[in-house]
Amino acid sequence: MIRSHVIGSGSALPARRLTNEELAAEYNLDTSDEWIVERTGITQRYFAGEGETTATLATAAARKALEMAGADASEIGLIVLATATPDNTFPATATQVQQALGCNGGIAFDVAAVCTGFLYAIGVADSMLRIGHAKKALVIGAETFSRILDFEDRTTCVLFGDGAGALVLEARESGEAQTGVLGTKLHADGAHCDLLHVDGGPSSTGTVGKLRMKGREVFRHAVVNLSSVLKEVLEETGVSAAEIDWVVPHQANARILDATARKLGLPMEKVVVTVDRHANTSAASVPLAFDTAMRDGRLKAGDLVMLEAMGGGFTWGASLLRL
Ligand code: COA
């Protein structure tokens, strides 16, 4: 059976790192390192500076992923880029990455599912690879949420950061080892779109707008939706939670990671956690965490890895793969 296999990963962070104290001082916020760490697990985040954009971060992550894969940009026939903070309303940031990498001629487009964006991108790219649209794809999550934060709102601006992550997927025979993407489930429920949204856009206000969130309600939905979609993927693939080697979750809040792992009966030692260092980088968080664990040697060939995320919309999803 032809399946999509991860053959490389890469990530990129902006040059500028801000600790909780530095963030509070710079934006004159009535908050503390203690509050942020206790409620979220976040100790620092990276913010894009001059010349750093979603496209430049995405391109840097993609280059590293291609290098790990030993693939040339010319081999990439498909780029799916998940972002809620594109450089421009159009063209798609994916085409800007395509131009920067010099692999013009294939397919390139963005998907918008906010923090679930990378899972949607994996789902779309996997389907397209399996039906033969391309042999190799770059799947990227990249964001510059610092540019849509309201720094007068301490309940949201302390939670997010900027960054990018990328995977190179290759369509090839899965064989007896049952490698590659084994199953993906995606969901959306527009009934809750007001709980996490941006209050502007090209067609509604003609402005970019700022992020607005009812954090406590989002938290409640996140744990319920994530546990349910994880169970769905396990059922569909016939895998038990105990067989999972690693969970690479969306990094929104350490307490959500704890609660979701507990619901599945998974020990935290199997959960890749980067929210402390990166904060919530929306669509970039899953591939950023994946690349961190690839490069520090935790993720190894043969491992069963679950990716999961939940975000604005609401949207949520999970994907199980064997490396
Ligand atoms: N610093 C200090 N105090 C803060 C603060 C900050 N940065 N932000 C909020 N507070 C205060 C609130 O004003 C409130 O004060 P009050 O009790 O005097 O009214 C108090 O802390 C508790 O606020 P609450 O919103 O109930 O806290 P919480 O425990 O729910 O934590 C979040 C807030 C945002 C960290 C938490 O709800 C959360 O993580 N939600 C999910 C968010 C998320 O993951 N979103 C992305 C999904 S993709």
Side-chain angles (χ1 to χ4, degrees):
M1 182 192 278
I2 298 289
R3 285 204 170 103
S4 309
H5 291 74
V6 177
I7 59 165
S9 72
S11 59
L13 291 162
R16 187 156 169 256
R17 181 176 69 95
L18 278 104
T19 62
N20 292 338
E21 282 104 347
E22 286 164 345
L23 180 80
E26 175 150 347
Y27 295 100
N28 199 20
L29 296 171
D30 178 15
T31 189
S32 64
D33 177 54
E34 194 188 359
W35 190 96
I36 301 170
V37 171
E38 192 188 306
R39 303 286 176 125
T40 70
I42 296 164
T43 65
Q44 60 172 42
R45 75 285 293 134
Y46 293 81
F47 279 176
E50 211 178 314
E52 289 174 319
T53 67
T54 296
T56 67
L57 293 168
T59 303
R63 286 210 166 99
K64 289 184 195 154
L66 286 169
E67 194 185 327
M68 186 190 282
D72 189 79
S74 61
E75 297 170 50
I76 298 297
L78 170 66
I79 302 177
V80 186
L81 188 148
T83 191
T85 47
D87 282 25
N88 304 90
T89 302
F90 74 81
T93 304
T95 60
Q96 291 167 300
V97 173
Q98 190 195 38
Q99 160 74 2
L101 295 176
C103 56
N104 304 345
I107 305 164
F109 60 94
D110 291 355
V111 298
V114 207
C115 299
T116 320
F118 192 75
L119 270 297
Y120 270 66
I122 287 270
V124 170
D126 174 42
S127 304
M128 291 183 73
L129 285 175
R130 282 189 287 116
I131 60 173
H133 281 288
K135 285 285 285 176
K136 287 196 180 92
L138 264 169
V139 187
I140 306 172
E143 302 279 16
T144 43
F145 260 49
S146 62
R147 298 202 167 126
I148 54 163
L149 294 176
D150 176 357
F151 287 101
E152 311 238 301
D153 176 10
R154 67 176 182 172
T155 70
T156 54
C157 73
V158 303
L159 303 175
F160 295 89
D162 302 337
L167 298 184
V168 181
L169 293 185
E170 181 180 35
R172 60 175 153 81
E173 205 44 62
S174 182
E176 272 179 36
Q178 296 281 306
T179 48
V181 176
L182 304 177
T184 302
K185 280 277 174 195
L186 302 171
H187 291 282
D189 183 357
H192 304 294
C193 57
D194 284 350
L195 296 179
L196 176 50
H197 70 285
V198 167
D199 62 3
S203 177
S204 57
T205 59
T207 62
V208 172
K210 298 287 179 205
L211 182 146
R212 307 290 170 209
M213 177 169 70
K214 296 205 168 73
R216 196 177 278 188
E217 287 162 73
V218 174
F219 190 106
R220 196 166 47 81
H221 283 279
V223 177
V224 173
N225 290 344
L226 287 172
S227 326
S228 130
V229 75
L230 288 170
K231 283 185 186 139
E232 262 185 280
V233 172
L234 290 175
E235 259 168 48
E236 187 190 82
T237 53
V239 168
S240 72
E243 291 175 76
I244 296 174
D245 294 297
W246 292 102
V247 182
V248 184
H250 171 49
Q251 310 282 324
N253 181 316
R255 289 188 295 143
I256 297 180
L257 303 186
D258 277 346
T260 313
R262 221 175 308 122
K263 278 209 161 205
L264 278 180
L266 283 170
M268 276 310 282
E269 296 76 61
K270 287 187 169 186
V271 181
V272 176
V273 180
T274 53
V275 66
D276 52 331
R277 283 166 280 162
H278 301 156
N280 181 347
T281 57
S282 185
S285 90
V286 170
L288 253 168
F290 189 99
D291 187 52
T292 303
M294 274 296 272
R295 285 174 195 270
D296 67 23
R298 276 179 284 175
L299 301 186
K300 292 180 289 298
D303 280 355
L304 253 186
V305 183
M306 181 74 92
L307 315 180
E308 49 101 320
M310 144 97 189
F314 288 140
T315 52
W316 64 103
S319 185
L320 184 70
L321 50 101
R322 191 180 287 283
L323 291 177

